[in-house]
Amino acid sequence: MTDQSQQPHLTRPAYRLAGAALGVLLLACGLYVAFATDTDALSWLGVALLLAFGGNLLVSAWRGRASWISRIGPLP
């Protein structure tokens, strides 16, 4: 992985705020699915993914590093 000097956009406040907001949104969606719907095995898999990606976005925004979602590259 490249260091932060090659990715200066990761330390900008707007980028970090947007990442944190998306992380909170994913965490809220994961908690909603976990507690407000009938949950089966596939739902729990979705809850786990939403919570993992949301938590990783929050930690990445706090530390100013690339998140898992940002590492998948540009999508078409």
Side-chain angles (χ1 to χ4, degrees), residues 1-66:
M1 186 73 201
T2 59
D3 60 359
Q4 290 181 357
S5 64
Q6 295 177 352
Q7 297 178 346
H9 67 281
L10 295 176
T11 59
R12 292 189 181 144
Y15 184 86
R16 294 173 74 176
L17 185 62
L22 182 60
V24 168
L25 179 69
L26 290 177
L27 282 174
C29 289
L31 292 174
Y32 174 76
V33 171
F35 294 116
T37 62
D38 290 335
T39 53
D40 55 356
L42 188 60
S43 296
W44 283 114
L45 177 65
V47 166
L49 287 174
L50 286 171
L51 293 178
F53 283 128
N56 180 261
L57 273 167
L58 283 176
V59 170
S60 298
W62 179 263
R63 294 183 180 173
R65 296 186 178 196

